[in-house]
Every structure is written in structure tokens, then in C-alpha cells.
Amino acid sequence: MTPTTPERALAELQAGNNRFVTGAPRHPNQDADHRALVADGQHPFAVIVGCSDSRLAAEIIFDRGLGDLFVVRTAGHTTGPEVLGSVEYAVTVLGTPLVVVLGHDSCGAVQAAREATATGATPPGHLGAVVDAVVPSLRRALREGVTDIDGIVDIHIAQTVEALVANSAVLAERVAAGRCAVVGMSYRLGAGEVRTVAEVPAGAPGPAVPAPAGAADPAPTAVAG
């Protein structure tokens, strides 16, 4: 049965990840019969807003199959208008009850942003846009006294969770109505396990979710795109 509540959807992801970590995956919904079944429509139970890192394949690490997950991936799980629109499509048109921001340890986008701000070097091409999107998380980490890369990654995941709800009235309304939740998870590349680092639970009122820290600050010249 496809989970229809945020709680059930999250439990299903956690169970799938546990199977993956312990080496006992079931590979559900990957057979020819299911492929034919979902050809005419999809009903994913979770949106995964994940980092584009090649080691972060959501269907594998959550042991899921065709039609289960609606996956949106960018470097450093940055969230521009296209990402927000994709999430809004999933939660409104498809009725998906859970949005997961999926980051990972040793994130290259976070490392690149930290190096750019430390050296004053301007990243080439459109990489500057990715770096600029991570800078508010670096500022937040600085205010909180967090200096290790994986601690900054956790802050960046939380920042993305907050940004999704703060920047999408559509998503915020679904959350406030108790029809959707937003959860931030961090994946350990070596161990294969995920852990929850941030959450906006179903029913959380919109005003309780802060806007992204540093969102109003101008981007530093050193990392302008």
C-alpha cells in the first residue's frame, strides 16, 4: 500500500534505508508488472530534494522502485524557482504527503562555498550560483560557532528545509493543513545510513517557520555568479 500520511511515508523511507544498510534490500516495485501498472499514472509517497552527488541515488538508499519517489536533484540541494515548482507540483497535483531534503557528509558544494568565501576566488561559470545559494548556511554556521564540514552540512540541510517552506506558500499551506511534512536528512556515504537533522511537521503553522537566515544579506562579491 502506498503511504498516504507524512508519518507513514517517513516510516517507509526509514525502513527501506534500514534494509539497504543491513544488506537485505527487497527491491520493491522494480518488476515488469509494476512498470506496466504505473505507466498510466504516478502516486509517489515522498518528494526527495537531494544533492546531485552520484552516490546519493534515492531509490537505492531507500530501497524503493518505480513510482515511489519524486526526485529533484541539484548540487548542494539548492532550491531555485524550478525546484520549488517541482515540489509544489508533487504535493498538489500528485498529493505527495512528504518532502525530504537529502544531503550528505563531505558535501562538495558546501566545501566549494567555504573555499570561495575563504579565498575570495570567484567560481567559474554558473558554479557561482550554487556557491551563492550555500553562503547563507555558511553565515548561519559562523553565527552558531560550527566549523567542521559535516556540522555545516547539517545546518545547510536545515536551512534548505526552512527555505522550502518559507519560499513556497503552496507548500506552507499544505503543511499547515496537516497534509504534508518536510524533513531534512543527512546521508553517510560510508555507512549508507540516513539520520533526521531537521523537521517541519505536518500541522506546523506557517509563521512558526523562520525565513532562511541571511536571506536578505547581499551576496559577497567574492562569490558573485
Side-chain angles (χ1 to χ4, degrees), residues 1-29:
M1 297 291 292
T2 300
T4 57
T5 67
E7 297 79 12
R8 292 289 300 275
L10 181 59
E12 192 67 30
L13 288 181
Q14 292 170 330
N17 179 246
N18 184 65
R19 294 194 298 270
F20 171 67
V21 170
T22 58
R26 298 175 185 170
H27 306 295
N29 299 334

Side-chain angles (χ1 to χ4, degrees), residues 62-90:
F62 289 117
D63 191 30
R64 298 310 312 179
L66 299 172
D68 292 333
L69 307 178
F70 191 89
V71 182
V72 186
R73 299 176 70 179
T74 61
H77 48 81
T78 55
T79 56
E82 295 83 2
V83 172
L84 292 172
S86 298
V87 172
E88 291 175 355
Y89 174 81

Side-chain angles (χ1 to χ4, degrees), residues 73-176:
R73 299 176 70 179
T74 61
H77 48 81
T78 55
T79 56
E82 295 83 2
V83 172
L84 292 172
S86 298
V87 172
E88 291 175 355
Y89 174 81
V91 301
T92 57
V93 177
L94 303 179
T96 308
L98 179 67
V99 178
V100 171
V101 174
L102 183 63
H104 62 94
D105 56 352
S106 304
C107 179
V110 173
Q111 292 174 330
R114 188 158 77 161
E115 180 179 349
T117 56
T119 63
T122 301
H126 294 289
L127 181 57
V130 175
V131 167
D132 286 351
V134 179
V135 165
S137 299
L138 297 180
R139 293 178 177 143
R140 180 169 170 176
L142 182 62
R143 291 194 299 271
E144 297 180 10
V146 177
T147 58
D148 67 289
I149 186 66
D150 291 336
I152 297 173
V153 165
D154 285 356
I155 287 175
H156 183 50
I157 293 170
Q159 186 90 347
T160 306
V161 167
E162 295 169 7
L164 284 174
V165 182
N167 295 328
S168 172
V170 172
L171 179 58
E173 289 169 2
R174 303 287 288 197
V175 170

